[in-house]
Amino acid sequence: MNIERAHSDALVVNQLPDGSKVIVDPTNQTVFALNATAGAAWDACSDPTTLAGVTESMQRSLHPQINEELAQEAIQQLQDKNLVNTSGLPAQASHRRFLATLGAAAVPLVVSLTIADQRAHAVYAASKPTTAPCASVNPTCKPTK
């Protein structure tokens, strides 16, 4: 089986301190949020690889008990969101059986939201920036109140 990132040159990837990632695809105006487990799978696909290669990389970056089923679940979620392309992906075990075999391992999670939906949610939730917008662009900027 071969796994590689899809159109990764167009993506903007932000690594968060807990190992999770936020990926913005400006082409189709979508934001993806990956938890640390899915983020480790994404990192493992920086070069074309195999399921065994993804599993080994995730074991090194997360935990030695990561198994191939967990790596496959992460890759499947990335593929479902068109973030990776695969060929020859083995048939996936049922989700219930997969969860039963995990034990304490973190389940990979990839969610997406269009930028328009995210903006609408921010307006509805009355989100406000925690810092003045100009401060991140120009440190000498004096925000107005």
Side-chain angles (χ1 to χ4, degrees):
M1 173 183 55
N2 295 313
I3 304 165
E4 61 184 89
R5 288 183 181 173
H7 63 280
S8 61
D9 293 341
L11 303 176
V12 178
V13 180
N14 293 303
Q15 171 87 26
L16 301 175
D18 66 351
S20 60
K21 296 186 182 333
V22 175
I23 300 174
V24 178
D25 184 349
T27 305
N28 65 15
Q29 296 286 300
T30 305
V31 178
F32 302 94
L34 285 63
N35 70 358
T37 305
W42 169 259
D43 288 343
C45 299
S46 60
D47 293 316
T49 188
T50 63
L51 183 57
V54 170
T55 304
E56 290 169 12
S57 177
M58 290 176 72
Q59 287 171 338
R60 284 190 306 273
S61 65
L62 288 176
H63 197 278
Q65 291 182 330
I66 297 291
N67 60 26
E68 202 166 269
E69 291 162 330
L70 181 73
Q72 183 178 347
E73 174 68 16
I75 292 301
Q76 185 65 51
Q77 288 191 33
L78 292 169
Q79 182 181 19
D80 290 348
K81 301 296 184 192
N82 297 316
L83 292 171
V84 298
N85 294 319
T86 65
S87 61
L89 191 64
Q92 192 171 16
S94 76
H95 195 63
R96 180 177 292 207
R97 183 171 158 240
F98 165 73
L99 291 174
T101 63
L102 283 181
V107 176
L109 179 64
V110 179
V111 296
S112 64
L113 189 65
T114 66
I115 291 174
D117 288 342
Q118 189 277 332
R119 284 183 182 141
H121 177 73
V123 167
Y124 176 76
S127 295
K128 294 187 173 110
T130 56
T131 59
C134 65
S136 62
V137 177
N138 181 355
T140 61
C141 175
K142 302 278 192 240
T144 60
K145 294 186 181 187

